[in-house]
């Protein structure tokens, strides 16, 4: 039982407000195709002394591993392209803290702005000021409700992430049994998409059934209790999908406390260090990791393309990156482990 | 009773015998309370201008005056709630100063406030003992463990002494009738008021029958030798209960009347200032 | 007609005059019965809920269900116990959930750095507890100090603490969870005495009983009631009201710090979002338990039952397969019903 206190909405856990799942195929194609094209263009231009560009990256908050990992990806790409990347932002997810930073940065006349807006409407005006000053803006992770002024937008495909979680649980449970979702709260676009993807994918398995959908209001304690009650209520339960960090950790703890570790499979979202620790212990069995480094990388690339007159290389629609599935079994595989979020730039 | 130590500022005997004895008061008897030359001003407003007043053991004294005459200010000063700009207070001949109402209470000066100052959510006994709770003996005393039984018993005894009937001292004060609550406030004052009880408009909120009850309470208090200073607008009641009536007018004592020598009309003429034209206090 | 706000919205000592019973010497006997039922009716509500949920799904009567419910209740028992003291004085503590999260993070960070410099596990655990308890008490003391010295409304002061301290955990350890903790912490969180009673739950119950005795059996408790019931008369009775209020907020902070440690023990990790929104659940538990937001009235047993009702709802509604959003609807209904029934009861009693 949790009540939502409107005074204390730490919304940053609900980042990555992807605009929709429609562009799934296109996005997957673009992600690979465009990446190739961009890199090619980049290696061509770095050879002659290119003009020095200053690209600013303002994340939702600077202390979160997701954004730190994005910053790492962006920095690496910037170094490759000979672009100067400036990373600045607030330490907490706050529109009132982010807005003055956005406004003040305009005075430094950067070449381009990459930003994860903390509010899809409130940040429109400050961002529009850049566009009016002739500075291209690309959103990463979150975006604006009105994307028409943007030079580009990159995010994660949450619907695909939900599908991936469903596929992984189904495979682990040999495609039969009941599953449940522990979501954060209704009306959050990112986690709702994850849930929709999960439910849609589960429909494809004739011997699997979604038995319940709970909301924990981002409380690990509530998620834990709900998981334990779900196990009691549904004897056929084989899996729980926690749609964000705390839902997943709570679900994992609940399954472990009930003594069902390894019998009921827990899928979580993101790859923060604490979740990965639980993944290694088998408390969480599956993690759907986003690819923030790639988001950062693409953001820098598009900015560079724009500045070097190759606007046609930037997709018109928001690019939605597919997610990476990690399991207890393959987390030590370097090809998978590289997607674990980092804690320092 | 515990906590009988005097607060700082006590020095003995300064006003002993200096008070002019009132005609009915026993000559040579030390007044329980003697007030000398009290003045008090709030900014430029002069509330009290050199008030003298004595109360003797066993007396019921009325303090009357029009609104703004300074009654409440005077009562607040005697009960420690306000500090005078000048003047002295003596208790049984010892000069005292109070910096709070708690210090006045420690010297045995109890006040029944107009609002009764009861906590409606506390039981009768808790109201009577609030601030002076009894602890059990033994190690639990360290935690301030309440000796509820003793307090309930003593509270019952205190109320019995003042002939107040309450079904149970464990009832919540807020659940009692106005008259009963009044009785508890008076009973509490009497229980602790070893020297004097001040009553500020004790019957203002009461019906006729309950006013009668309070009157009996006042008399029973005085019968135990504890004087009562009764502040009231209810002149017939004052006249009935008080042998002596002090009239305040514009911050000064203008009359010190013996009931046997005066009528209610006399009191009224002093209160309104009409008598000032013919007599000099 | 002006709306009367609870004293938590006004500076201490300026609260409106106390409630006064209507006059009338005699009350019918049946009202006395209602009165007595009043103190225990909430126990009946809990019993009824257990019965209904249990009949719909007998899994409620299993050890696993009990462990889940009791485990969930730990942090709310501790927060609500402190909150009860505050509410009894006519105040409110909106910051207790934030203190829980903050003290947990600071304690976690301290323990992590102690482990990194090779301190012993036991020493580190003890130090972690001390840090959380002292820090919690200090923040509570700060709340009380501001409320009494600056004469600010408790609602405003603790709202400020909630906002400031609620944001602070994201400044510790880069805003990420601290999971490098001594193994003793995890043991406290997962060990169950006889398989039935979690150590954390035992701690919460012992603390609740202890503070219940402090509240209902000692001078300190009596004065807590007196201050909320009629602050002016408490002052006139010689009670140092300001000092008392500071102590009450300090208790609330101390228990929030302890709750922070218990949550950390449960998950074996210090989580920067712990305690978020917990203050509302704690207040709800106290109110469901029969306390008045105007102060002066409440009971630790009622608060305990109120907490168990809130904890039971989470598990019970999942067990009977009610959709998650209904949990909040149900809680809202129970809060309003609890207060409404209490009002009816009081009106009857005051007749």
């Amino acid at each position: 039982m949790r009540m939502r206190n409107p005074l204390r909405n730490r919304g940053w856990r609900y980042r990555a407000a992807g605009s929709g799942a429609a562009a799934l195929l296109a996005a997957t194609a673009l992600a690979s195709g465009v990446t190739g094209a961009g890199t090619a263009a980049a290696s061509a231009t770095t050879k002659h002394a290119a003009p020095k560009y200053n690209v600013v990256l303002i994340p939702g908050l600077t202390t979160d591993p997701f954004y730190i990992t994005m910053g790492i990806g962006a920095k690496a790409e910037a170094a490759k392209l000979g672009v100067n990347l400036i990373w600045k932002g607030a330490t907490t997810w706050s529109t009132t803290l982010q807005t003055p930073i956005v406004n003040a940065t305009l005075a430094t006349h950067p070449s381009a702005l990459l930003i994860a807006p903390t509010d899809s409407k409130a940040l429109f005006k400050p961002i529009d000021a850049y566009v009016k000053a002739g500075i291209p803006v690309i959103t990463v992770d979150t975006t604006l409700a009105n994307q028409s002024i943007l030079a580009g937008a990159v995010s994660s495909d949450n619907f695909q992430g939900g599908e991936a979680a469903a596929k992984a649980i189904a495979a682990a449970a040999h495609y039969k049994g009941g599953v449940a979702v522990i979501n954060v709260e209704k009306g959050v676009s990112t986690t709702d998409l994850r849930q929709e993807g999960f439910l849609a994918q589960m429909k494809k398995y004739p011997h699997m059934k979604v038995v319940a959908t709970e909301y924990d209001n981002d409380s690990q304690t509530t998620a834990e209790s709900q998981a334990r009650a779900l196990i009691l209520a549904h004897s056929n339960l084989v899996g729980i999908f926690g749609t964000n960090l705390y839902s997943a950790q709570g679900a994992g703890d609940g399954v472990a406390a009930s003594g069902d570790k390894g019998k009921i499979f827990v899928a979580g979202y993101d790859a923060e260090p604490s979740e990965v620790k639980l993944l290694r212990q088998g408390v969480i069995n599956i993690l759907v990791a986003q690819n923030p480094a790639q988001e950062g990388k693409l953001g820098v690339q598009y900015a560079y393309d724009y500045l070097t007159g190759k606007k046609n290389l930037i997709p018109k629609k928001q690019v939605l990156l597919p997610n990476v599935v990690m399991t207890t079994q393959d987390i030590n595989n370097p090809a998978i482990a590289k997607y674990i979020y980092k804690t320092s730039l | 009773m515990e906590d009988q130590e005097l607060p700082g500022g006590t020095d003995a005997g300064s006003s002993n015998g200096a008070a002019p004895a009132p005609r009915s008061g026993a000559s040579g008897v030390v007044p329980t309370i003697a007030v000398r030359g009290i003045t008090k001003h709030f900014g430029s407003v002069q509330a009290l201008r050199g008030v003298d007043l004595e109360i003797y053991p066993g007396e019921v004294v009325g303090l009357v005056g029009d609104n703004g005459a300074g009654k409440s200010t005077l009562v607040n000063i005697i009960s420690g709630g306000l500090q005078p700009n000048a003047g002295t207070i003596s208790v049984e001949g010892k000069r005292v100063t109070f910096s709070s109402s708690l210090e006045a209470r420690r010297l045995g000066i109890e006040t029944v406030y107009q609002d009764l100052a009861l906590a409606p959510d506390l039981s009768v006994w808790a109201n009577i003992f609030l601030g002076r709770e009894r602890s059990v003996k033994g190690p639990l005393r360290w935690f301030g463990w309440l000796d509820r039984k003793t307090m309930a018993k003593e509270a019952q005894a205190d109320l019995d002494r003042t002939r107040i009937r309450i079904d149970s001292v464990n009832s919540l004060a807020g659940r009692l009738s106005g008259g009963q609550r009044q009785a508890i406030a008076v009973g509490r004052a009497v229980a602790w008021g070893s020297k004097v009880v001040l009553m500020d408009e004790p019957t203002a909120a009461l019906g006729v029958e309950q006013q009668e009850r309070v009157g009996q309470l006042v008399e029973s208090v005085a019968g135990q030798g504890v004087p009562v200073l009764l502040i009231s607008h209810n002149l017939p009641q004052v006249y009935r209960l008080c042998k002596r009536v002090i009239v305040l007018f514009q911050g000064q004592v203008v009359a010190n009347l013996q009931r046997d020598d005066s009528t209610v009309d006399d009191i009224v003429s002093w209160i309104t200032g009409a008598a000032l034209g013919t007599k000099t206090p | 007609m002006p709306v009367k706000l609870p004293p938590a919205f006004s500076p201490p000592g300026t609260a409106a005059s106390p409630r006064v019973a209507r006059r009338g010497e005699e009350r019918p006997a049946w009202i006395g019965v209602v009165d007595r039922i009043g103190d225990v009716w909430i126990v009946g509500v809990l019993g009824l809920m257990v019965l209904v949920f249990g009949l719909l799904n007998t899994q409620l009567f299993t050890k696993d269900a009990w462990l889940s419910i009791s485990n969930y209740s730990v942090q709310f028992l501790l927060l609500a116990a402190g909150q009860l003291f505050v509410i009894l004085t006519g105040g409110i503590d909106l910051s207790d959930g934030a203190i829980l999260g903050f003290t947990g993070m600071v304690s976690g960070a301290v323990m992590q750095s102690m482990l990194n410099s090779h301190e012993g596990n036991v020493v580190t655990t003890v130090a972690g507890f001390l840090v959380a308890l002292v820090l919690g008490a200090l923040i509570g003391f700060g709340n009380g100090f501001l409320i009494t010295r600056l004469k600010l409304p408790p609602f405003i002061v603790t709202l400020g603490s909630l906002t400031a301290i609620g944001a602070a955990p994201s400044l510790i350890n880069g805003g990420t969870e601290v999971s490098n903790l001594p193994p003793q912490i995890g043991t406290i969180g997962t060990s169950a005495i006889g398989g039935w009673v979690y150590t954390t739950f035992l701690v919460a119950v012992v603390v609740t009983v202890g503070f219940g005795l402090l509240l209902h059996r000692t001078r300190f408790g009596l004065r807590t009631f007196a201050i909320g019931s009629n602050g002016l008369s408490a002052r006139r009775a010689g009670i140092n009201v300001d000092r008392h209020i500071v102590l009450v907020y300090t208790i609330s902070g101390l228990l929030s710090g302890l709750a922070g440690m218990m949550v950390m023990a449960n998950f074996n990790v210090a989580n920067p979002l712990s305690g978020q929104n917990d203050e509302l659940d704690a207040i709800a538990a106290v109110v469901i338990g029969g306390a008045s937001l105007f102060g002066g009235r409440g009971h630790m047993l009622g608060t305990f039952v109120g907490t168990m009702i809130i904890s039971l709802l989470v598990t019970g509604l999942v067990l009977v397969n009610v959709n998650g959003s209904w949990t909040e609807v149900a809680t809202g209904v129970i809060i309003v019903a609890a207060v409404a029934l209490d009002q009816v009861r009081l009106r009857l009693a005051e007749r």
Side-chain angles (χ1 to χ4, degrees):
Chain A
M1 201 289 321
R2 308 281 303 187
M3 282 172 302
R4 188 112 204 114
N5 182 346
L7 303 166
R8 225 180 143 200
N9 186 357
R10 294 200 211 143
W12 59 274
R13 290 288 169 188
Y14 317 135
R15 67 204 160 204
S19 62
L24 171 62
L25 288 175
T28 318
L30 281 168
S32 44
V34 172
T35 308
T39 320
S43 41
T45 41
T46 33
K47 286 190 180 123
H48 32 93
K52 192 81 174 165
Y53 294 122
N54 288 317
V55 175
V56 173
L57 171 53
I58 301 181
L61 71 167
T62 54
T63 54
D64 184 39
F66 176 91
Y67 288 114
I68 289 169
T69 311
M70 177 189 285
I72 292 169
K75 256 196 174 154
E77 184 66 11
K80 208 153 68 178
L81 298 175
V83 168
N84 187 24
L85 186 90
I86 302 143
W87 158 272
K88 58 164 90 169
T91 53
T92 51
W93 176 276
S94 158
T95 304
T96 43
L97 292 179
Q98 193 184 41
T99 306
I101 293 170
V102 175
N103 290 336
T105 306
L106 179 58
T108 67
H109 298 292
S111 321
L113 172 69
L114 307 182
I115 182 170
T118 49
D119 188 288
S120 65
K121 294 198 179 81
L123 266 296
F124 181 84
K125 244 188 163 173
I127 287 175
D128 195 39
Y130 280 73
V131 178
K132 292 219 166 87
I135 300 168
V137 178
I138 294 159
T139 58
V140 284
D141 186 34
T142 53
T143 189
L144 293 176
N146 176 1
Q147 295 182 23
S148 64
I149 59 165
L150 300 175
V154 189
S155 188
S156 290
D157 188 340
N158 286 294
F159 191 87
Q160 184 270 341
E163 289 179 323
K167 282 179 190 164
I169 287 181
H174 305 294
Y175 302 97
K176 59 173 190 285
V179 290
V181 181
I182 298 182
N183 203 342
V184 180
E185 83 183 287
K186 264 192 185 140
V188 179
S189 62
T190 50
T191 48
D192 280 354
L193 278 171
R194 293 170 192 174
Q195 178 175 323
E196 282 170 31
F198 184 85
L199 299 181
Q201 184 65 27
M202 274 298 166
K203 284 210 181 92
K204 296 177 183 161
Y205 305 119
H207 302 297
M208 299 204 78
K209 189 171 176 262
V210 177
V211 294
T213 307
E214 304 294 340
Y215 295 91
D216 65 15
N217 279 331
D218 217 7
S219 158
Q220 195 169 344
T221 311
T222 305
E224 183 195 7
S225 271
Q226 288 172 336
R228 296 175 82 158
L230 285 167
I231 293 165
L232 288 171
H234 306 284
S235 52
N236 64 339
L237 198 72
V238 295
I240 299 175
F241 175 38
T243 62
N244 82 340
L245 172 71
Y246 293 116
S247 309
Q249 291 190 165
D253 276 307
V255 169
S258 297
D260 290 304
K261 197 166 115 181
K263 281 179 261 173
I264 294 172
F265 301 97
V266 177
Y269 223 92
D270 287 323
E272 308 231 359
S274 58
E275 282 178 296
V276 171
K277 188 178 171 189
L278 293 179
L279 184 72
R280 289 206 162 97
Q281 294 167 352
V283 172
I284 291 175
N285 310 89
I286 299 144
L287 281 179
V288 178
Q290 302 183 64
N291 197 347
Q294 182 70 11
E295 287 185 34
K297 178 183 170 174
L298 281 180
V300 172
Q301 220 169 68
Y302 294 156
Y304 189 82
D305 290 341
Y306 188 99
L307 295 170
T308 52
K310 302 186 191 71
K311 285 183 210 172
N312 58 318
L313 289 178
I314 307 171
K316 295 279 171 288
K317 267 187 172 166
Q318 184 183 32
V319 174
L320 294 177
L321 299 180
N323 302 279
V324 181
V325 173
M326 304 172 166
T327 64
T328 305
Q329 288 74 34
D330 65 15
I331 187 61
N332 291 325
N333 177 348
I336 296 293
K338 69 176 180 180
Y339 292 106
I340 297 171
Y341 301 172
K342 314 292 188 293
T343 49
S344 57
L345 270 174
Chain B
M1 320 268 144
E2 51 189 18
D3 296 335
Q4 280 287 349
E5 79 276 10
L6 301 180
T10 309
D11 64 89
S14 65
S15 67
N16 205 349
R23 275 174 286 168
S24 73
S27 268
V29 174
V30 177
T32 309
I33 295 275
V35 166
R36 288 275 168 275
I38 293 282
T39 64
K40 178 72 184 175
H41 54 81
F42 301 100
S44 62
V45 179
Q46 194 76 27
L48 296 175
R49 314 155 186 263
V51 170
D52 291 347
L53 172 83
E54 301 90 30
I55 305 168
Y56 288 87
E59 261 195 314
V60 181
V61 181
L63 179 64
V64 298
D66 209 348
N67 289 337
K71 294 180 309 233
S72 293
T73 307
L74 182 58
V75 170
N76 267 319
I77 286 172
I78 299 175
S79 66
L82 283 175
Q83 280 69 52
N85 297 114
T88 62
I89 301 172
S90 303
V91 175
E92 293 183 333
K94 287 180 188 147
R95 210 160 123 191
V96 293
T97 56
F98 313 125
S99 61
S100 73
S101 55
L102 182 62
E103 290 183 0
R105 291 179 64 187
R106 285 191 173 146
L107 290 180
I109 299 170
E110 281 288 329
T111 310
V112 179
Y113 293 94
Q114 201 167 346
D115 63 12
L116 303 183
L118 292 178
D121 303 295
L122 296 192
S123 64
V124 171
W125 66 259
N127 267 293
I128 289 178
F129 280 89
L130 190 62
R132 296 178 272 214
E133 303 87 350
R134 295 243 193 286
S135 291
V136 292
K137 303 215 159 45
L140 281 173
R141 186 189 178 86
W142 193 80
F143 295 99
W145 200 272
L146 296 174
D147 188 348
R148 298 153 71 95
K149 239 182 226 162
T150 302
M151 284 190 282
K153 217 166 73 190
E154 287 187 20
Q156 189 67 61
D158 288 337
L159 295 181
D160 287 347
R161 214 174 309 134
T162 46
R163 295 195 206 90
I164 295 163
R165 242 170 248 111
I166 305 279
D167 292 345
S168 162
V169 286
N170 290 314
S171 315
L172 298 188
R175 300 283 169 80
L176 302 176
S177 70
Q180 287 174 312
R181 292 175 342 107
Q182 185 81 43
I184 295 165
V186 175
R188 172 173 63 182
V190 175
W192 298 105
S194 50
K195 301 282 165 59
V196 65
V197 176
L198 312 178
M199 293 190 181
D200 191 1
E201 300 285 0
T203 59
L206 296 184
V208 176
E209 189 195 340
Q210 288 155 350
Q211 288 187 15
E212 203 65 36
R213 187 77 61 82
V214 172
Q216 289 164 9
L217 275 174
V218 168
E219 281 167 346
S220 81
V221 172
Q224 293 167 50
V226 176
V228 175
L229 182 66
L230 180 68
I231 299 93
S232 179
H233 272 108
N234 185 338
L235 292 184
Q237 188 190 36
V238 169
Y239 193 77
R240 198 167 58 249
L241 291 173
C242 308
K243 284 228 171 89
R244 191 155 67 91
V245 178
I246 293 168
V247 185
L248 274 182
F249 183 78
Q250 292 178 352
Q252 283 177 300
V253 173
V254 291
N256 189 346
L257 306 168
Q258 297 299 319
R259 178 179 65 190
D260 300 341
D261 304 346
S262 326
T263 63
V264 172
D265 287 344
D266 289 341
I267 301 175
V268 171
S269 68
W270 282 108
I271 288 173
T272 58
L276 282 170
T278 52
K279 291 185 205 169
T280 322
Chain C
M1 186 182 130
V3 177
K4 195 181 164 204
L5 287 172
F9 293 89
S10 43
T14 62
S17 61
R19 298 170 300 286
V20 172
R22 252 169 280 167
R23 270 179 228 133
E25 302 288 335
E26 295 302 320
R27 300 190 305 143
W30 63 270
I31 284 176
V33 177
V34 171
D35 218 10
R36 235 158 283 148
I37 290 172
D39 292 335
V40 293
W41 77 272
I42 198 69
V43 181
V45 172
L46 178 62
L48 192 72
M49 283 171 60
V50 169
L51 205 67
V52 171
F53 285 133
L55 287 177
L56 290 170
N57 189 339
T58 50
Q59 290 288 326
L60 185 72
F61 302 122
T62 58
K63 185 169 101 172
D64 280 347
W66 158 249
L67 285 176
S68 174
I69 294 166
S70 59
N71 184 54
Y72 182 86
S73 71
V74 169
Q75 73 203 67
F76 299 104
L77 277 177
L78 293 170
L79 294 184
Q83 188 73 251
L84 174 62
F85 275 84
V86 170
I87 284 179
L88 279 172
T89 64
I92 199 153
D93 189 352
L94 295 176
S95 66
D96 57 6
I99 297 175
L100 186 163
F102 180 63
T103 52
M105 277 303 277
V106 172
S107 164
V110 167
M111 286 194 283
Q112 179 170 262
S113 66
M114 284 180 73
L115 289 182
N116 288 344
S117 50
H118 307 290
E119 288 287 346
N121 283 328
V122 175
V123 174
T124 303
T125 305
V126 171
F129 268 89
L130 280 179
V131 165
L133 295 180
V134 170
L135 186 62
L138 278 178
I139 298 170
F141 178 86
N143 279 338
F145 186 84
L146 290 175
I147 288 165
T148 53
R149 290 302 141 88
L150 301 185
K151 306 274 175 224
L152 296 174
F155 185 90
I156 298 300
V157 170
T158 58
L159 176 61
S161 304
L162 160 68
T163 314
I165 296 167
S170 52
L171 305 175
I172 302 162
N173 199 38
T176 56
E177 301 177 320
V178 182
S179 54
N180 184 17
L181 301 172
Q184 280 77 2
I185 295 288
T187 307
I188 293 168
T190 50
S191 59
I193 297 152
W196 280 87
V197 181
Y198 282 118
T199 312
T200 50
F201 183 68
L202 183 71
V203 168
V205 169
V206 167
V207 166
T208 309
V209 170
F211 277 87
L213 291 174
L214 178 70
L215 186 60
H216 295 291
R217 285 291 176 272
T218 71
R219 172 182 302 165
F220 184 86
L222 183 70
R223 293 179 172 190
T224 306
F225 278 93
I227 288 168
S229 188
N230 187 345
L232 181 59
S233 82
R235 255 177 239 277
R236 283 175 179 162
I239 295 170
N240 189 337
V241 173
D242 285 357
R243 198 188 67 178
H244 202 97
I245 287 177
V246 171
L247 278 172
V248 161
Y249 282 89
T250 307
I251 287 175
S252 184
L254 177 82
L255 293 182
S256 305
L258 182 59
M261 292 306 290
M262 294 298 112
V263 175
M264 183 202 296
N266 183 26
F267 293 113
N268 205 7
V269 69
N271 167 342
L273 283 200
S274 282
Q276 185 185 14
N277 298 328
D278 279 2
E279 57 279 352
L280 293 187
D281 292 293
I283 293 167
V286 171
V287 170
I288 290 174
S292 162
L293 286 176
F294 289 91
R297 208 160 49 78
H299 201 282
M300 189 61 87
L301 182 65
T303 298
F304 183 88
V305 174
T307 309
M308 294 319 284
I309 285 178
I310 284 175
S311 307
L312 174 67
L313 271 177
V314 178
T315 296
L317 288 173
V318 173
L319 279 183
V320 301
N321 223 352
V322 169
N323 185 295
S325 298
W326 285 99
T327 317
E328 284 162 46
V329 175
T331 314
V333 168
I334 288 180
I335 291 173
V336 174
V339 176
L341 277 168
D342 214 40
Q343 287 297 314
V344 170
R345 179 172 80 78
L346 277 183
R347 244 164 265 158
L348 283 175
E350 282 175 5
R351 260 176 38 182

